[in-house]
Amino acid sequence: AVPPAELVDTLIARADHLENDRRELASDRRRWEADSADACGHREQLRVVGQAPTPARLIETRVDRDARWADIRQAFDSGHAPPAGAPDTFEEALRAADDVADELATNAAGVERAAALAADEARLDVAAEALDRRAAELDCHERELDAEWEATWRSTGLERIELSVARAWLVAHADA
């Protein structure tokens, strides 16, 4: 007994649907690869131009400056002279904080581009994970379909044929 034509048509429709999903996944993966390559190019451009300081770097330099000033202030408040070199190191820390703030202001567009790029890279990471999940799901569905076809055809006792040619085989053998 051969499998009913309706069952073969259903399995073929599922296989066609999976094939379309594979093509769509491949297209999405190519688009992701192009976007990823663009992000890498933009990251390289930022590297070549020079990395603008981050707001976190500004905070670090200000904390350092404030700590040095607190040491000097504490010495004066307690009636002692500040440690030797403390005013010089405070001035250096003050200049460093001012320099970072100035560079941040000057490179605001670069800082904004770097932040946007980081967001794009995070989005690409999420998209890559989603693509991998979709590929795994398709693999699972294809294995299930193959197992179902294998079981369906095994019941005929005939040598297995591929699902893709089953409809033509049924037509050819129905006329025989």
Side-chain angles (χ1 to χ4, degrees):
V2 295
E6 299 80 25
L7 175 59
V8 170
D9 287 342
T10 299
L11 294 175
I12 288 173
R14 283 177 47 202
D16 290 345
H17 183 73
L18 286 171
E19 187 177 324
N20 288 337
D21 287 350
R22 276 279 178 214
R23 278 195 293 274
E24 184 179 315
L25 176 63
S27 174
D28 291 347
R29 191 163 305 272
R30 283 190 300 274
R31 192 170 25 262
W32 176 88
E33 288 169 352
D35 290 349
S36 185
D38 286 347
C40 285
H42 292 133
R43 176 65 63 201
E44 180 62 16
Q45 286 174 347
L46 284 176
R47 188 191 66 73
V48 168
V49 168
Q51 193 67 282
T54 63
R57 178 70 182 125
L58 178 59
I59 290 170
E60 289 171 12
T61 59
R62 286 180 171 168
V63 166
D64 181 54
R65 174 205 61 200
D66 294 346
R68 292 176 191 279
W69 173 248
D71 290 344
I72 294 170
R73 180 68 185 209
Q74 183 180 13
F76 280 125
D77 287 348
S78 65
H80 298 92
D88 293 334
T89 59
F90 169 72
E91 287 177 357
E92 289 170 12
L94 182 63
R95 267 192 302 280
D98 287 348
D99 290 347
V100 170
D102 291 346
E103 195 172 345
L104 262 175
T106 301
N107 294 316
V111 170
E112 189 174 313
R113 278 193 307 273
L117 179 59
D120 285 346
E121 289 169 334
R123 179 189 55 80
L124 286 167
D125 288 345
V126 169
E129 291 170 4
L131 289 170
D132 291 344
R133 276 192 308 276
R134 281 177 52 200
E137 289 170 7
L138 286 175
D139 290 345
C140 181
H141 292 308
E142 286 172 350
R143 284 190 302 274
E144 290 170 353
L145 179 62
D146 189 55
E148 190 173 345
W149 175 242
E150 177 70 33
T152 299
W153 196 257
R154 189 179 323 116
S155 68
T156 68
L158 299 171
E159 185 178 331
R160 182 175 188 235
I161 62 171
E162 293 301 316
L163 178 58
S164 60
V165 297
R167 185 181 295 136
W169 188 93
L170 288 174
V171 169
H173 286 80
D175 294 340

